[in-house]
Amino acid sequence: MIEWIKNLLISIFGNIIYCISCLIPANKNLWIFGAWFGEKYVDNSKYLFEYVNENHPEIKAVWVTRDEGILKLIREQGYEAYLMRSWRAYLLSFRAGLFIICNGIEDVIPYAFGRTRIVQMWHGTPLKKIVYDDKYSVIPDEKFRLFGFKNIDRESTIFIAASQEVKKRISSAFKASLSRVKVTGYPRNDVLIPEKIEDLPIGDMLNKLKVNNSLGIYMPTFREEDGKLEDVLENIKDLNSSLKQLNTVLLIKLHYVDMK
């Protein structure tokens, strides 16, 4: 009952915010960026945000966040950022021409997109089933509805993909037409292209590891089930012994959800 009342209040508040945003003309040169429910400064949103700030002065690029540490970090870099709960964040969101997100609408201010186009850049290349193709995970989107019928998780104007194959998967996962999915590549990968490996933060380490060694990398995705990562890594000593015999170095990059 308490959860139902909470969702009802959120829905009522959201509808009010949405109606207000519908009344305010959008500024096509005002773009609002966010990532990972407002809790991180990472991913495709981050790198496009920095690129726009450095290369397109005609665009007012603004980051919104729930985290005061992130707010300070972005402002120290000379970029514009606001806490989501601030009146300034709401006013700018009402007027924005674009929302740029990489997870869901909660990356920015939900509901404030009456006249705003949404660019969903996502945060990975889906090998596993995601969003509406995932038949096992419950998508908690019931509270995010407008007037009882409009599902804002599916209101993105366009999506981006890294290839034609990924385009088909994104289209299916979000129930979006193929015409709404653009093959652009990912901003977070673009920042690597012009660089020599020696210039990257881990470049010197990689070069040292490559001497007399083969390199491998293991980057497991997030899974809903508890304990799966531990199951994979429980035999790490045996794996390490085999790697030594093969003169191979294995780099492991965990999903941030599993970092704990």
Side-chain angles (χ1 to χ4, degrees):
M1 177 63 72
I2 295 178
E3 186 67 22
W4 184 86
I5 294 174
K6 177 183 175 182
N7 289 342
L8 177 62
L9 293 175
I10 291 174
S11 183
I12 292 172
F13 176 75
N15 280 294
I16 294 173
I17 295 299
Y18 180 75
C19 289
I20 294 174
S21 67
C22 286
L23 299 174
I24 301 176
N27 178 353
K28 66 178 183 179
N29 289 329
L30 172 57
W31 297 4
I32 303 294
F33 292 77
W36 288 96
F37 313 110
E39 297 172 356
K40 289 181 172 292
Y41 181 54
V42 294
D43 229 300
N44 288 314
S45 299
K46 169 187 174 179
Y47 292 105
L48 184 59
F49 173 70
E50 293 182 352
Y51 176 83
V52 170
N53 268 293
E54 297 300 325
N55 295 278
H56 290 277
E58 76 279 8
I59 301 296
K60 182 180 179 68
V62 177
W63 191 276
V64 293
T65 179
R66 303 178 192 276
D67 188 281
E68 293 189 2
I70 291 175
L71 178 73
K72 181 181 178 181
L73 172 67
I74 296 173
R75 288 182 171 178
E76 286 177 347
Q77 295 181 59
Y79 303 139
E80 190 169 354
Y82 299 97
L83 290 176
M84 283 187 185
R85 61 178 178 267
S86 68
W87 65 268
R88 183 66 173 164
Y90 272 89
L91 289 179
L92 290 171
S93 296
F94 287 152
R95 297 176 48 239
L98 280 183
F99 281 170
I100 293 91
I101 61 178
C102 67
N103 194 302
I105 194 64
E106 283 192 300
D107 293 357
V108 288
I109 296 180
Y111 299 107
F113 63 98
R115 298 195 178 191
T116 305
R117 303 178 74 187
I118 302 172
V119 179
Q120 169 60 274
M121 297 195 293
W122 203 233
H123 52 269
T125 297
L127 300 177
K128 67 177 183 179
K129 300 294 185 181
I130 62 170
V131 196
Y132 294 99
D133 285 339
D134 182 354
K135 305 303 181 184
Y136 298 97
S137 301
V138 177
I139 301 175
D141 64 353
E142 286 303 311
K143 65 181 179 180
F144 298 123
R145 306 189 76 85
L146 298 170
F147 306 108
F149 65 86
K150 194 171 184 181
N151 186 330
I152 65 178
D153 273 346
R154 292 172 55 187
E155 289 303 307
S156 296
T157 308
I158 65 169
F159 303 79
I160 72 169
S163 69
Q164 291 296 331
E165 180 62 30
V166 174
K167 175 177 180 174
K168 291 185 288 186
R169 297 185 184 197
I170 291 292
S171 172
S172 175
F174 285 92
K175 297 182 180 179
S177 64
L178 285 170
S179 63
R180 291 167 59 200
V181 185
K182 310 299 180 182
V183 179
T184 63
Y186 293 140
R188 68 181 187 185
N189 292 343
D190 291 344
V191 296
L192 303 177
I193 293 173
E195 307 284 352
K196 297 179 181 178
I197 192 169
E198 292 82 3
D199 296 331
L200 298 176
I202 62 170
D204 186 55
M205 180 192 75
L206 291 176
N207 280 327
K208 290 178 180 178
L209 290 175
K210 281 196 301 183
V211 178
N212 300 320
N213 293 298
S214 298
L215 289 180
I217 188 165
Y218 175 53
M219 299 186 291
T221 186
F222 167 65
R223 297 294 183 185
E224 296 288 347
E225 300 87 352
D226 292 332
K228 292 299 181 182
L229 184 63
E230 289 78 2
D231 293 343
V232 172
L233 299 180
E234 66 178 359
N235 296 317
I236 194 72
K237 289 183 179 180
D238 292 338
L239 174 62
N240 213 35
S241 177
S242 297
L243 290 171
K244 288 179 180 179
Q245 294 177 26
L246 296 169
N247 292 321
T248 297
V249 174
L250 180 64
L251 306 176
I252 300 177
K253 177 188 179 296
L254 303 180
H255 190 285
Y256 88 91
V257 172
D258 289 318
M259 290 298 285
K260 63 180 182 298

